[in-house]
Amino acid sequence: NAGVTQTPKFQVLKTGQSMTLQCAQDMNHNSMYWYRQDPGMGLRLIYYSASEGTTDKGEVPNGYNVSRLNKREFSLRLESAAPSQTSVYFCASRITGSNQPQHFGDGTRLSIL
Amino acid sequence: GQQLNQSPQSMFIQEGEDVSMNCTSSSIFNTWLWYKQDPGEGPVLLIALYKAGELTSNGRLTAQFGITRKDSFLNISASIPSDVGIYFCAARRINNYGQNFVFGPGTRLSVLP
């Protein structure tokens, strides 16, 4: 009963390095999401994928790319990390086309030095 | 973009007291959700509301979907130490197929023994 699994849980990068954050869900959900969470702010949507093979920009997509590898997996990539991308990143999933809520992973804590 | 406002931003209460917090917006929504986030973990769904005026309980928690569809309230009765955490509201428009949910900045709850 894993739900949404994110790896790694923690990561420290130097400015300019690249990294891919992994997310997998075992609930057969169609939609998957990547959010970032910063102090004093609500979750902000980076990218989402309504179904396998489709991705769309959210509120704060700059500096990120995503890949919906298959129905289970949705990865987030930082090509050239910047200190402004220091944040906690959450992946979520839900059933598309319904009012069903999102289910979240435990987050990846990313620090860019 | 759409904004959700939560109040209070933080609160300190004595164990056993009741808690009230709310979430407001200038926009109309068709779904309201309340999540709780414990330190180091992802948000966990507490209550989902799908109809204006709806009042739903989950143990000691009760939430209401405001009649105007622009707000929602969460009450916790007889607080206990494990209620400590950040409570987020989230909302969605039914015709917002792509964009999905927006989140409030959270209410941080501390329970004093």
Side-chain angles (χ1 to χ4, degrees):
Chain A
N1 192 23
V4 180
T5 302
Q6 292 184 234
T7 56
K9 294 188 182 303
F10 303 93
Q11 185 69 49
V12 179
L13 296 176
K14 294 182 179 179
T15 297
Q17 286 185 317
S18 61
M19 171 160 190
T20 299
L21 280 60
Q22 307 288 351
C23 175
Q25 52 89 13
D26 60 3
M27 297 174 282
N28 202 35
H29 287 168
N30 307 87
S31 295
M32 297 186 73
Y33 307 79
W34 276 105
Y35 291 90
R36 60 178 287 172
Q37 183 179 41
D38 299 296
M41 304 183 73
L43 293 161
R44 291 185 293 168
L45 185 64
I46 304 172
Y47 270 93
Y48 65 98
S49 170
S51 63
E52 184 179 353
T54 68
T55 61
D56 288 284
K57 294 179 180 179
E59 181 184 355
V60 288
N62 291 343
Y64 305 95
N65 285 301
V66 291
S67 295
R68 184 71 182 269
L69 304 171
N70 47 57
K71 192 172 186 179
R72 292 186 63 249
E73 299 173 290
F74 188 38
S75 63
L76 178 71
R77 183 163 178 83
L78 286 71
E79 289 292 349
S80 179
S84 61
Q85 294 177 304
T86 293
S87 188
V88 182
Y89 292 86
F90 287 100
C91 177
S93 70
R94 65 183 282 267
I95 299 173
T96 304
S98 71
N99 272 331
Q100 293 301 307
Q102 296 168 334
H103 298 263
F104 287 85
D106 284 340
T108 293
R109 283 143 188 83
L110 184 62
S111 294
I112 315 297
L113 305 178
Chain B
Q2 300 162 356
Q3 293 285 334
L4 297 183
N5 303 303
Q6 284 190 248
S7 65
Q9 290 186 335
S10 63
M11 53 195 315
F12 293 82
I13 61 169
Q14 293 291 140
E15 183 176 354
E17 288 184 346
D18 297 342
V19 175
S20 292
M21 60 186 78
N22 64 60
C23 187
T24 61
S25 176
S26 58
S27 301
I28 293 174
F29 294 97
N30 294 83
T31 299
W32 286 89
L33 307 174
W34 285 92
Y35 288 87
K36 183 192 178 206
Q37 186 178 21
D38 291 326
E41 298 184 9
V44 174
L45 182 69
L46 299 173
I47 294 178
L49 303 160
Y50 300 112
K51 185 178 178 181
E54 179 181 356
L55 185 71
T56 298
S57 294
N58 178 7
R60 293 178 297 106
L61 278 63
T62 301
Q64 185 163 23
F65 190 143
I67 291 293
T68 65
R69 295 162 65 193
K70 295 181 179 180
D71 55 16
S72 179
F73 306 87
L74 176 69
N75 295 316
I76 305 172
S77 62
S79 59
I80 60 178
S82 62
D83 290 334
V84 167
I86 304 176
Y87 292 80
F88 291 99
C89 61
R92 176 176 181 261
R93 293 182 180 181
I94 197 155
N95 62 349
N96 200 359
Y97 178 85
Q99 191 50 253
N100 292 284
F101 294 90
V102 292
F103 287 80
T107 291
R108 183 180 294 273
L109 178 64
S110 299
V111 179
L112 307 175

